Amino acid sequence: MPPPKVYKLTIDHYGVHWDVRLRGKKRFLQERAFLDQLVGYPPVPRPAPDPTSDYYMLSDEQLDAYIEFRKKIKRSA
């Protein structure tokens, strides 16, 4: 069985950019859906990955919420 594909989301927090690398499409879609809702992106279908919109500018509160979400999803995996 081949290894899972690695997907990438880009996060910007006050000018600091980093890539979040995620293994597997399911995990990628879960995190992207959470971030879309967090920043208020409209729920429209788009390809996975979508290099034009898999970029998120997060405030302090949004970043804290995303970190907590990642901890929660990691514990349940």
Side-chain angles (χ1 to χ4, degrees), residues 8-59:
K8 180 179 81 167
L9 296 168
T10 302
I11 304 292
D12 178 292
H13 182 67
Y14 296 108
V16 177
H17 303 279
W18 70 91
D19 294 332
V20 177
R21 297 187 185 282
L22 304 160
R23 289 183 180 246
K25 191 172 186 176
K26 180 181 175 184
R27 174 78 181 260
F28 170 78
L29 292 174
Q30 286 177 318
E31 293 209 17
R32 186 171 77 173
F34 178 82
L35 287 165
D36 285 350
Q37 183 180 18
L38 187 65
V39 299
Y41 282 176
V44 295
R46 61 186 204 260
D50 183 4
T52 62
S53 66
D54 291 340
Y55 174 86
Y56 300 90
M57 292 181 69
L58 303 181
S59 67

